[in-house]
Structure formats: structure tokens, C-alpha cells
Amino acid sequence: MSETAPATVLVFDSGLGGLTVFRDIAAVRPDARFVYLADDAGFPYGNLPEATLIARVRDVLGAAIAQHAPDLVVVACNTASTLALADLRARFAVPFVGTVPAIKPACAQSVSKRIAVLGTQATVSREYTRALIREFAAGCDVVLVGSPRLAGYAEAELAGHPVADAAIAAEIGACFVETEGRRTDTVVLACTHYPLLIDRFRTTAPWPVHWLDPAPAIARRVGALLQDRPPVSNAPPPAIVFTSGQAPSPALAKALQAFGFPV
Ligand code: DGL
């Protein structure tokens, strides 16, 4: 008897940040067929006006859904999810898993009840993010820190162009608040690019904190949604597609290989 086809999972981001989500999903369902779509021609999403971003995500994902017929789409981008998820769900029948700031678990686990949300300037200014704070942050002080540069730094590092410690420290500094004897003890990584810089954050932070990466929770959600699909052994290697059509540089190709892509 022939084996059933692997489930197709489309993982989408403005660039390479979604690889941090892909990595955890692939660990949960290594038997799925993965297509990673990087809209590098539109990067960075954090700088796009809202109407432009909604239309762009709809067009780029619409074309990819038509081409790859995924069973599930993971929008591995907070900047896109906090704005465009409702529109995507209304337009396409395929299920979507979004990536939104992990404010609820951060407040629940914070001991000092002082947390920071580190994301793109767009994500931290969204009504979606503010609604999460109203709903889930009662009794917890939340500082919103929008970074105009960190996603670009993460892309640069992955492409083999190191970024100075001082530049990284300048972007994360506002997360660290100490007043009334209480210090920030948890920082929500509200941009999927940021876990790529986690070691740099740890070494440049003024004091140790818990850096909350949403990827494990997203991977669990994907695992739950695919639980009816029995594991198969015939999945092809993951594929990566760049909307710019450009081939990755040798340094980037090496980094992508480390994530499992045969580039
Ligand atoms: N990776 C994206 C996010 O999670 C954003 C980076 C950008 O395009 O500005 O928000």
C-alpha cells in the first residue's frame, strides 16, 4: 500500500526571522513538507504603511497558497500577524497560525511583574498588541520597546556581516527598567528575527532576564492542528523561496544549510 502524502506547511516571514519558528515546527513534525517563503523584496515589514502591508501580505501569500496548496500556513512574523491575520483568515480557506507577542505567558511567569515587549516599531504600536496588554497584563508593568534596526541586524549577522555589541545594546537598552525596587525580569521577543540574536542579547544585557521566544508554543499549535495527519517517511527536504528571486550569498547559504535547507 502506498504511503499518504506529507502535510504541506507554508512558513512565511518578511525575511529570515521565521526560520526561528520553522526550526521548532520542523522538530515537532519532521515528516511534513515545508516551504519557507521569505518576502525579502518587501523587507523590512516594520517600515511599511499598514494598508500597503495588508495588501502585500495578501498578494504574496495568495500566490504562494495557489502554487503550493499548503495544508497549513504559519505567519512567522509578528509585524504581519498583528495586522493582517483577520484579513487572511477571511480570504483563504486554509488554516493560519499566527505569531503575536507572548504577553500573557510573560506576565504569568514574571516574578517582578515588570516585563518588556521588544518588537518592530510597527508591532509595538499596533492596537492588537495594546489589546493583549489590556486583556492579559493586569498587575504587571509592561514597557513597549520598538526597534527600527534589530531585524536588519539579524539579517546582517546571518549573512556573515557582524554587528557591534554597542549597536545591539543600544536597541535593547530600553527593555531594562528598574524602579520601585523592581527590575524587568522577562523580555518578550515580539519579532521572529530576534531569537537569531539571542546570544548577543544575553551578553549585552545589563542584567540577566528571561527572553521569551514564542516558537515552541507555535510549534505545539502546529503539532495539534496536524495531529490527524499520520507521520510519513516520504517528505522531501524543506524548500526556501525568496520573493526577490535572488540566490543567497555563500555565507547565507551556509547559514541556511544549518537550518536544514539543501541550498
Ligand atoms: N520578523 C518580523 C516580525 O516578527 C519583522 C521584521 C520586519 O520585516 O520588520 O515582526
Side-chain angles (χ1 to χ4, degrees):
M1 200 171 86
S2 67
E3 202 175 20
T4 50
T8 296
V9 179
L10 177 64
V11 182
F12 170 71
D13 184 30
S14 58
L16 300 167
L19 292 173
T20 63
V21 177
F22 160 76
R23 178 172 55 195
D24 281 20
I25 299 171
V28 168
R29 284 305 297 252
D31 63 305
R33 168 184 168 242
F34 287 101
V35 179
Y36 185 94
L37 175 62
D39 184 15
D40 61 330
F43 180 85
Y45 276 4
N47 292 359
L48 293 184
E50 294 197 346
T52 309
L53 181 54
I54 290 177
R56 183 170 187 96
V57 169
R58 181 191 300 160
D59 290 351
V60 171
L61 269 180
I65 289 166
Q67 186 181 351
H68 302 288
D71 296 285
L72 188 63
V73 178
V74 179
V75 182
C77 175
N78 293 259
T79 310
S81 297
T82 50
L83 184 68
L85 261 186
D87 177 76
L88 293 171
R89 288 185 172 131
R91 268 166 207 278
F92 302 104
V94 62
F96 286 88
V97 175
T99 308
V100 300
I103 289 164
K104 184 180 180 183
C107 288
Q109 74 174 52
S110 170
V111 174
S112 66
K113 294 299 169 201
R114 194 179 284 294
I115 72 157
V117 178
L118 180 63
T120 63
Q121 286 171 307
T123 293
V124 301
S125 63
R126 295 253 196 270
E127 169 52 25
Y128 193 107
T129 303
R130 287 165 197 264
L132 287 176
I133 293 172
R134 284 197 301 274
E135 196 171 351
F136 298 117
C140 191
D141 291 307
V142 182
V143 60
L144 291 167
V145 180
S147 165
R149 299 187 188 88
L150 279 175
Y153 289 169
E155 296 263 331
E157 289 261 337
L158 214 55
H161 307 295
V163 176
D165 277 355
I168 291 182
E171 296 299 298
I172 66 171
C175 293
F176 294 84
V177 178
E178 179 169 20
T179 51
E180 301 155 357
R182 289 186 296 123
R183 281 178 160 188
T184 305
D185 69 356
T186 305
V187 177
V188 177
L189 298 172
C191 170
T192 54
H193 279 74
Y194 300 173
L196 294 169
L197 294 170
I198 190 69
D199 292 339
R200 309 295 302 287
F201 290 174
R202 289 201 172 104
T203 54
T204 53
W207 60 77
V209 292
H210 182 72
W211 301 93
L212 212 163
D213 178 356
I218 294 165
R220 281 195 299 277
R221 175 81 186 128
V222 170
L225 287 172
L226 294 180
Q227 68 185 357
D228 293 340
R229 300 290 296 248
V232 295
S233 57
N234 57 353
I240 186 161
V241 179
F242 293 92
T243 54
S244 68
Q246 275 173 15
S249 66
L252 181 55
K254 207 170 152 211
L256 294 175
Q257 274 165 5
F259 279 93
F261 293 91
V263 285

